Amino acid sequence: MVDVSPTAGMLGPGIDASRDPHRIFLDACRENGVRPDTIRGPRRDKWIVTIRRSIAELLFNTGLLSYSEIGRMLGGRHHTTIMSLLNPEMNARRKARK
């Protein structure tokens, strides 16, 4: 089966999710050819948000970090921002109600 999710292929096989979360973050940045400062920065370009979402998912799925800790690692973002990154369906339902 082919993975057609928006984050498919963003995080390669070279990232070992059982390691230190900071190392996971740096490896994911390297694999995607983006500087950590770009991911932590304020820009919201679609390609940056897609990589940021992939990294947040990877970090959350390790079970080592809370939403708040992931937010701090991704540039001081609020925990609700991370929750929104990880649950795009919730955002779509919220927008549909408006």
Side-chain angles (χ1 to χ4, degrees):
M1 179 177 223
V2 176
D3 186 357
V4 294
S5 67
T7 58
M10 298 303 296
L11 300 173
I15 299 174
D16 179 5
S18 66
R19 297 185 314 185
D20 172 57
H22 184 68
R23 184 82 249 158
I24 293 169
F25 171 75
L26 294 176
D27 286 349
C29 289
R30 181 182 39 79
E31 290 248 340
N32 286 286
V34 63
R35 292 175 40 148
D37 291 349
T38 302
I39 297 301
R40 290 183 178 125
R43 289 178 51 189
R44 295 186 345 181
D45 301 21
K46 187 172 183 172
W47 69 273
I48 295 172
V49 173
T50 300
I51 295 171
R52 196 177 284 141
R53 177 181 293 118
S54 298
I55 293 171
E57 286 176 355
L58 184 62
L59 291 170
F60 183 76
N61 288 336
T62 65
L64 299 173
L65 300 176
S66 67
Y67 292 122
S68 296
E69 292 166 325
I70 294 169
R72 283 191 292 275
M73 186 173 281
L74 296 180
R77 286 170 169 75
H78 197 266
H79 73 277
T80 57
T81 300
I82 302 305
M83 292 170 72
S84 292
L85 270 177
L86 297 177
N87 193 353
E89 295 83 25
M90 177 181 66
N91 292 332
R93 285 193 303 266
R94 186 180 303 131
K95 287 179 183 177
R97 283 185 267 164
K98 290 184 178 181

